[in-house]
Amino acid sequence: MSRRFLRRLLVASVFGFTGMFLVQPVASAHVTVTPNTAAPGGYARMAFNVPNERPEASTVKLEVLLPTEHPLASVSVQPVPGWTSTAQKQKLPAPVQVEGGLVTEAVTSIVWEGGQIRPGQFEQFQVSLGRLPTGVGELVFKALQTYSDGTVVRWIDLPDGAGEAEHPAPTLSLAVPAGAPEASPDIVGRALGGGGLLAGLVALGWLLWSRFRPSQAAPVVKLGQKAGNPKVGV
């Protein structure tokens, strides 16, 4: 295959892959979370995808409820142009043991307001959460979507095995990818550091070998012998 054909194939693949993510929130017509799977025990950066499914009103507010039974000690919100965000903390009914100690209060909800999502459009609200609990199959983030006409759509339904719920709550599955052991940040850092050190040693060895390698010796010409000619007797 020619290079030109390979370039076209690569560009088409990239656009197709990107388009799959761009159309997903609108096609689903639900408030969803992307990615919908994360490894337990670590941190996750995720986005709440909010489409506007009403033709006569705009979305003007989103409230996401964080699970209090599995409180998250670290919650960060990425700014969205035109919107203001508020992370609301509350004291927990009882301290909860998490990795790193006891948590007595935690962020229980995040509210975005001040902007608008017009009909036929969607918005993404990104957050960073951690540490994610271990020994739990999923985290459910109930969401309330408010429209400019005062309508509130409650995305709080949980799957009951009888088919898809009418207003399903955004859900994050917690699972280690198949074939990949769960690695701590310390192990990952050591692996990256060791790889960088090895690459540096290889580069240094190549430099030294190139600089000091013995040059090819010139042919020795004996007395009475010319280079490239048979030996001449004296």
Side-chain angles (χ1 to χ4, degrees), residues 157-201:
D157 296 343
L158 303 179
D160 57 5
E164 185 178 5
E166 182 178 0
H167 297 97
T171 303
L172 178 70
S173 298
L174 300 179
V176 178
E182 185 177 352
S184 67
D186 183 56
I187 294 177
V188 174
R190 290 181 182 179
L192 293 176
L197 177 61
L198 178 60
L201 291 175

Side-chain angles (χ1 to χ4, degrees), residues 54-80:
R54 297 178 63 88
E56 73 284 354
S58 298
T59 297
V60 295
K61 180 181 178 181
L62 175 70
E63 181 177 6
V64 174
L65 307 179
L66 276 61
T68 55
E69 65 274 18
H70 302 291
L72 301 167
S74 174
V75 177
S76 301
V77 181
Q78 180 169 305
V80 180

Side-chain angles (χ1 to χ4, degrees), residues 191-227:
L192 293 176
L197 177 61
L198 178 60
L201 291 175
V202 170
L204 179 60
W206 175 261
L207 178 63
L208 293 175
W209 181 83
S210 300
R211 191 179 185 116
F212 296 105
R213 65 177 177 177
S215 60
Q216 186 175 1
V220 177
V221 180
K222 295 183 179 180
L223 182 63
Q225 179 182 0
K226 296 182 179 180

